[in-house]
Amino acid sequence: MSESKTQTDTLSGESRNGSKKPQTSHHPKTDGMRDDKGYYGIPPIKASHWAWQIYLYFWVGGIGVGAHLASVMGQLFGWKDLAFFRVCRYTTVVAMVISPIMLIWDLGRPERFLNMLRIVKLRSPMSTGSWALSAFGSLAGAVATKQAADDGLIRLLPGGEPLTKLAKLIPERLISVAALPIGLYVGAYTGILLIATSVPLWARNWLLMGPLFLSSAVSTGLSWVSFVLHLGNWGETRTLHALRKAERVVLVIEAVLLAASLIRTGRWARPLFSRRLGPLFVGGTIVGGIILPFLLLFGKETRNKGLLSGGLVLVGGYILRYVMVRGGRDSANDPDEYFSFTKKDRTEVREAEKIEGEEL
Amino acid sequence: MATGFLTDTTVCIGCKACEVACKQWNQLPHDGYELTGDSYDNTKQLSGSTWRHVAFIEKPKDENRYRKLSGDVDLVALAEGVKDQLPGGAEIDGLGRWTFMSDVCKHCVEAPCQQACPTGAIIRNEFDNVYIQPDVCNGCGYCVPACPYGVITSIPEDGRAFKCTLCYDRQVDGLEPACAKACPTNSIMFGEVEELEKIAEERVQQLHDRGYPNAFLYGTPEVGGTGGIGGNHSKFILMDEPETYNLPEAPLLPQATVGKATLASAVTAVALGAVVAWAFGSGE
C-alpha cells in the first residue's frame, strides 16, 4: 500500500484526526486517494498471459497466409514470375516454422505441445487453430520443398540427387490450392481465438474480429511480398503492379472492417485509446498502417514508394495485433469494463454506446 | 448425480477456515504475506493456488454519508455501545453492514473453461464437476480469459492451470470437500445440486419473511447464468447486487459466437480471395 503511506486526506484538506502523521484508512471508500471500482478494484476476470511470442505469431502467421494466397492466385492465372513464387513460398514456409516455435514457447508445459492434437474440439478455436496450423504448415512445407528442388537447393544437401528427384514428384500446384482454405482459416482463427473469451474488448467484437485479422493477414502478406521484391529489385513489373492493385482494395476492406469493429465495440473499445496504447494504435495502425500506405499506392510506381508503403503496412499490422492483445489485458483488468459488459439490462449502456460509437 | 456447493453468505462469519482447509488438504502453496489494507481480505481473489477465497465487503448504509467519515472508526466505542459522536465526527449509524462471502469455482453447467481447453484436460468427472486433469494440461492458458468468473488461473512456476477440484479425491472416498467440512456455521454446504437448490429456496424464502427482500440465489439460469452458461453447480445466497461480491450479473458463454464468427470469416476469406484473383487475373 505505497500510496496510503504518503497520502493526506483530500476530502477535508488536512490529515485525518488533525494529526500531522500520515494516516492509513480503515476503509478504502473513505480514502480520497483511492477510487476503487467494484470489489477494491480487483479485476473480476483474469487477463491472459499472452506476451510477445503471441503478437509475433499473430503477425508472422498472417504474413505467411497472405503470401500463400498471392502465390496460389498467381499460379491459377498462369503467372510465370519465378522470383515472385520463390518469395511467396519461402515466406510461407519460414512463417510456418516460426509460428509453432512461438506457440510452443508460450506454453506453460512446452514438452506437452502434442497434447494440442489429442482431440478435435470445434468450439475451441485454440483446438481447431492448432490442427489448421499443423496441416497448413505441413502442406506449405511440401510446396516449399518442391520449390527448393526446382531452385537446385536440395542438390546441395548430402545425397541431393535422389532427394531432388523425389522432391520433384510433389504435386505442388494441387497442394497449394488444397492448402488455401486451411491457410485462410489460420489467418482468421487468431481473431476468433480472441472473441471466444470473457474479455469485453474482444468478446464484444465477435463478428468482425476474425475478418479483421484475416484482412490484416492478407494486407501484411501482400505487402511483405512486394516489399521483398522491391528490395531485391526482383520480380516482373506486372507482378508488382498486380500486388499493388490487390493491396489497395485489401487496405480498403481492412479499413472498413476496423471502423466497423470500433463502432461495434463501442464503449468497450476504450482500452485501445488509452494514454499508453492510443497513440500507437491511431498513429501506427490507423494512420501509419492503413491511410498513409493506401495513399502511397497511388500515382507513379517507384521502388522507394513501394518499399515505404510495404514497410508501413507491415509495422501497422504488427501494432494492430499488439494493441488488440495488450488492450485485452487492460479490458480484463478494469472491473468497470466487465461489469458493464455483463449487465443483464444493458439498455442504458446501449444508449451511451451509441454516442461513443459516433465519436469513434 | 451432480454434486455442488451452496454457499450461504448470510451466515458466513469470515473466519477463513475454508481457505485454510482447502490449502491444507490440496497442499497448495502460499500466496505471499502481503497486507492489502482492504478490510481483512489479504487474499484478494481466487487463483491457481487459492481455490477458496473469503471476500470482506464493508457495505455502507449510505455511500455519500460514509464518504464524509473523517476518521477511523473507534471499534471499542462501537462495541461498548457509545451512542455519542465518535472521534473525528464518525457516526455509528453510518456504518451499514459488514458482509463476508466465501468464493469458489462455480462449476458451470456449460463450462467456458472446458469448452476452451484444446487438450481435453478439462473434463466433467463422474460427479458432474468441472475437473482439470493435471497430467494432460499443457499450460496454453486459454481457459484463463475464457472463465467468466476469473476463477481458473495459471501458476507461472508450474506452468499449468489450476482451480477447485471440488475435492474430487475426497468425494471418491465418500467425504465432503475440505472447505464444507471445516465451515463452522454451515455457510458452505455440499451435496447434490437438486437438494441444495431446495435448501436454497427455503432459505431465501425464510430471509424474505424475516424482512430481507434483497436475498436471492446466485447461479441459477435466472441470475448469473444467462448467455448459455446454464447456471452453476456452486451457488450462492447473496444479499446485494452480484457486483458487490465481484461477480458478474449475467455472464455470457464466450463460445456461443464461434460458429457465426467462423462463417463471417469465411465470407471475408472469399471476398479477399476474389480481390487478389481479380488483381492477378485482370492482366494488362
Side-chain angles (χ1 to χ4, degrees):
Chain A
M1 298 312 302
S2 58
E3 67 250 69
S4 55
K5 275 179 193 146
T6 52
Q7 79 197 359
T8 53
D9 189 344
T10 53
L11 293 176
S12 60
E14 61 187 54
S15 299
R16 288 200 180 86
N17 299 347
S19 81
K20 289 265 160 34
K21 263 166 57 182
Q23 296 284 319
T24 54
S25 170
H26 190 66
H27 191 287
K29 293 226 149 100
T30 63
D31 189 333
M33 297 293 282
R34 290 180 59 165
D35 184 22
D36 289 340
K37 298 161 190 160
Y39 181 71
Y40 304 112
I42 295 165
I45 51 170
K46 302 283 192 293
S48 107
H49 72 274
W50 294 331
W52 67 270
Q53 292 97 333
I54 297 300
Y55 329 135
L56 191 68
Y57 158 61
F58 282 4
W59 185 64
V60 168
I63 291 173
V65 169
H68 183 73
L69 175 63
S71 94
V72 170
M73 289 306 167
Q75 178 193 303
L76 286 180
F77 289 98
W79 237 243
K80 295 277 177 263
D81 189 341
L82 271 177
F84 163 70
F85 284 114
R86 273 187 203 125
V87 170
C88 288
R89 286 170 179 172
Y90 292 142
T91 295
T92 305
V93 77
V94 170
M96 287 306 122
V97 169
I98 296 175
S99 297
I101 292 175
M102 288 300 128
L103 289 176
I104 292 167
W105 189 339
D106 181 66
L107 291 178
R109 288 287 175 101
E111 74 279 9
R112 291 185 181 174
F113 74 95
L114 271 177
N115 283 6
M116 288 289 188
L117 306 181
R118 217 179 135 251
I119 56 164
V120 181
K121 213 187 251 183
L122 293 180
R123 265 199 160 184
S124 170
M126 188 73 103
S127 172
T128 54
S130 302
W131 281 102
L133 189 67
S134 309
F136 182 61
S138 310
L139 297 176
V143 173
T145 308
K146 173 72 174 7
Q147 184 68 42
D150 289 344
D151 291 343
L153 291 176
I154 293 184
R155 196 161 290 134
L156 305 175
L157 297 172
E161 270 322 316
L163 282 180
T164 305
K165 264 185 203 152
L166 209 62
K168 288 216 174 178
L169 294 175
I170 295 171
E172 99 280 11
R173 294 170 68 91
L174 188 71
I175 293 176
S176 288
V177 175
L180 183 61
I182 308 171
L184 290 169
Y185 182 68
V186 170
Y189 100 87
T190 49
I192 304 171
L193 186 80
L194 297 184
I195 61 112
T197 62
S198 290
V199 178
L201 171 70
W202 300 339
R204 174 72 179 163
N205 191 26
W206 59 267
L207 190 64
L208 297 176
M209 195 71 101
L212 175 65
F213 272 56
L214 181 60
S215 67
S216 177
V218 174
S219 76
T220 49
L222 295 176
S223 295
W224 169 261
V225 175
S226 79
F227 182 85
V228 174
L229 289 177
H230 275 298
L231 197 69
N233 277 323
W234 296 316
E236 296 167 13
T237 323
R238 65 181 204 125
T239 309
L240 293 170
H241 195 70
L243 284 170
R244 206 163 92 123
K245 256 167 87 177
E247 274 176 70
R248 281 201 290 246
V249 185
V250 171
L251 278 180
V252 171
I253 293 176
E254 190 181 345
V256 169
L257 285 170
L258 184 58
S261 294
L262 291 176
I263 291 167
R264 164 70 191 172
T265 319
R267 63 147 290 180
W268 293 284
R270 254 187 327 207
L272 296 178
F273 296 96
S274 68
R275 201 179 295 176
R276 193 163 53 84
L277 296 178
L280 205 58
F281 179 54
V282 175
T285 299
I286 297 176
V287 178
I290 296 176
I291 297 174
L292 269 182
F294 179 71
L295 296 175
L296 282 168
L297 288 169
F298 285 94
K300 205 168 160 287
E301 216 171 333
T302 65
R303 179 170 181 261
N304 285 345
K305 268 170 78 180
L307 283 174
L308 187 60
S309 70
L312 282 170
V313 171
L314 287 167
V315 174
Y318 183 79
I319 293 174
L320 173 69
R321 285 152 180 83
Y322 170 79
V323 166
M324 271 299 169
V325 178
R326 286 308 293 254
R329 199 179 294 177
D330 298 340
S331 179
N333 283 336
D334 188 341
D336 249 9
E337 299 287 321
Y338 188 58
F339 286 146
S340 58
F341 184 65
T342 50
K343 269 283 169 212
K344 193 180 266 181
D345 178 22
R346 287 211 301 240
T347 39
E348 279 181 35
V349 178
R350 285 207 188 94
E351 288 304 312
E353 184 189 313
K354 262 185 209 159
I355 298 160
E356 285 203 26
E358 279 159 18
E359 280 171 7
L360 293 171
Chain B
M1 186 194 81
T3 57
F5 284 125
L6 173 63
T7 309
D8 183 356
T9 65
T10 59
V11 293
C12 179
I13 55 170
C15 69
K16 298 192 195 179
C18 50
E19 267 190 38
V20 176
C22 176
K23 284 246 180 201
Q24 282 194 326
W25 180 263
N26 294 299
Q27 302 189 329
L28 299 175
H30 71 77
D31 304 301
Y33 300 100
E34 189 198 351
L35 295 175
T36 61
D38 296 336
S39 194
Y40 286 79
D41 186 356
N42 295 313
T43 314
K44 288 161 94 174
Q45 56 197 322
L46 292 171
S47 73
S49 54
T50 301
W51 301 348
R52 268 278 177 190
H53 160 239
V54 181
F56 288 74
I57 297 130
E58 298 183 25
K59 185 80 180 169
K61 229 178 189 177
D62 173 357
E63 197 90 8
N64 295 323
R65 204 156 150 213
Y66 204 81
R67 281 199 170 276
K68 282 186 201 133
L69 280 176
S70 54
D72 286 356
V73 176
D74 187 337
L75 290 171
V76 176
L78 192 64
E80 286 172 353
V82 178
K83 296 280 184 207
D84 319 327
Q85 282 250 306
L86 291 171
E91 293 166 76
I92 295 171
D93 198 31
L95 280 175
R97 290 190 304 111
W98 197 12
T99 313
F100 319 108
M101 182 267 214
S102 179
D103 199 6
V104 71
C105 172
K106 314 298 177 292
H107 292 279
C108 306
V109 173
E110 294 282 333
C113 60
Q114 188 208 349
Q115 297 203 1
C117 179
T119 63
I122 305 180
I123 55 160
R124 295 203 84 92
N125 62 19
E126 65 266 41
F127 306 109
D128 212 5
N129 310 144
V130 181
Y131 178 76
I132 311 173
Q133 304 174 83
D135 54 335
V136 178
C137 174
N138 68 1
C140 75
Y142 191 43
C143 52
V144 175
C147 176
Y149 299 104
V151 172
I152 197 165
T153 315
S154 308
I155 298 184
E157 294 78 12
D158 182 277
R160 292 172 295 180
F162 293 93
K163 70 167 191 68
C164 163
T165 64
L166 235 154
C167 279
Y168 175 63
D169 51 348
R170 289 175 64 94
Q171 281 195 62
V172 169
D173 285 346
L175 298 168
E176 63 179 326
C179 55
K181 183 81 186 167
C183 180
T185 64
N186 218 15
S187 166
I188 300 173
M189 284 167 266
F190 167 79
E192 281 184 46
V193 172
E194 279 177 26
E195 250 172 61
L196 292 177
E197 266 170 8
K198 269 185 216 137
I199 296 172
E201 259 170 51
E202 275 169 32
R203 175 65 180 160
V204 169
Q205 191 52 51
Q206 191 181 46
L207 286 163
H208 287 179
D209 293 344
R210 287 185 187 174
Y212 299 100
N214 293 339
F216 69 96
L217 184 62
Y218 180 86
T220 59
E222 289 77 42
V223 184
T226 58
I229 289 173
N232 302 323
H233 279 178
S234 43
K235 296 182 168 65
F236 300 83
I237 295 172
L238 304 180
M239 295 281 276
D240 267 304
E241 48 188 20
E243 284 86 354
T244 309
Y245 305 89
N246 226 10
L247 295 170
E249 188 183 346
L252 304 158
L253 181 70
Q255 287 82 9
T257 49
V258 166
K260 283 179 188 160
T262 309
L263 206 64
S265 301
V267 171
T268 315
V270 171
L272 290 165
V275 168
V276 181
W278 159 79
F280 278 88
S282 59
E284 68 203 74

